[in-house]
Amino acid sequence: MTPLVVIRPEPGCSASIVAARATGLEAEGFALFNIVPKGWNSPAAEEFDALLIGSANALRHGGAALARYAGKPAYVVGEATATAATAAGFTIAASGTGGLQEVLNRAVHPRLLRLAGEDHVTLEPPPGITLTERIVYTSEALPMPAELAEILGNPAVVMLHSAAAAHHFAAECGRLGIARGRLTLAAIGPRVAVAAGPGWSHIATATQPNDHALLALAGHLCQTAAS
């Protein structure tokens, strides 16, 4: 079986490794990013009816300003984000696994405040919904460690959770002279697959933009990549 490599930031990296190993995959994690807070101007709470949050990182790194919105409804993507939102004092208006646009399309609160990372997808609010965005965290890229470079000297499957991860991983492979043709990429969405660029052994995209679908894809690729 081809080994799986996870490069997302912590704590997601460790969570993906645990989930992958539970399915019998040979998985190793190397977080190539640090998530750090980004100073942001928090608008008055009364200007908004609800929040829109696509990652638990917004809640982990949003800082003390989050408290002013406590008690408001939150539209979220993913179980981890819903758990973090509840712990931060928000009520869950809607939760989904098919991407933030899908959740936004179900919004019934007219004035939404989106808390996002610096690398984020563009959303189209449905009619009657206004969306204000604030960037509350960013990802700092880290150099690829020698241990990971050695692993990538042989065939491997690499999970990519964001376009930033795809760009950085491709750049690091180029910097270290790692041959792309040995590596298979599992991307969480088409935007991420495009960001990785050409030259890889194979690139496949998850059927849904969530961790469960991405892990299922990665498991399939680990079983078939060698052939």
Side-chain angles (χ1 to χ4, degrees):
M1 182 187 300
T2 303
L4 175 65
V5 173
V6 181
I7 62 171
R8 68 189 302 201
E10 294 291 4
C13 187
S14 293
S16 290
I17 291 301
V18 170
R21 289 176 177 171
T23 68
L25 297 177
E26 178 188 336
E28 297 292 338
F30 298 88
L32 293 189
F33 295 88
N34 280 332
I35 303 297
V36 295
K38 193 173 179 68
W40 61 291
N41 173 31
S42 55
E46 58 269 22
E47 296 179 10
F48 303 98
D49 305 302
L51 277 71
L52 180 68
I53 307 172
S55 170
N57 284 323
L59 297 157
R60 296 186 189 108
H61 302 282
L66 290 177
R68 68 165 53 188
Y69 309 108
K72 286 188 178 294
Y75 294 86
V76 304
V77 169
E79 182 178 344
T81 309
T83 300
T86 301
F90 301 106
T91 59
I92 304 302
S95 178
T97 58
L100 199 56
Q101 183 67 57
E102 184 271 332
V103 174
L104 175 59
N105 290 343
R106 293 191 275 129
V108 296
H109 296 83
R111 302 175 302 167
L112 299 181
L113 173 62
R114 180 189 185 184
L115 304 181
E118 196 163 31
D119 176 46
H120 61 279
V121 298
T122 301
L123 299 175
E124 293 293 335
I129 302 294
T130 61
L131 186 63
T132 301
E133 294 185 341
R134 289 294 186 271
I135 306 304
V136 303
Y137 69 91
T138 189
S139 299
E140 291 185 344
L142 303 173
M144 184 183 294
E147 183 181 357
L148 175 54
E150 183 176 353
I151 291 173
L152 298 179
N154 296 298
V157 175
V158 181
M159 289 175 68
L160 298 175
H161 283 80
S162 69
H167 278 301
H168 180 53
F169 180 74
E172 284 296 279
C173 286
R175 182 178 69 86
L176 296 173
I178 296 169
R180 295 188 179 198
R182 296 191 185 99
L183 305 177
T184 298
L185 306 184
I188 200 167
R191 172 173 170 261
V192 177
V194 170
W200 310 98
S201 175
H202 182 59
I203 303 178
T205 302
T207 56
Q208 293 290 325
N210 59 65
D211 291 339
H212 179 76
L214 181 58
L215 181 58
L217 170 65
H220 172 73
L221 294 174
C222 287
Q223 296 283 353
T224 61
S227 59

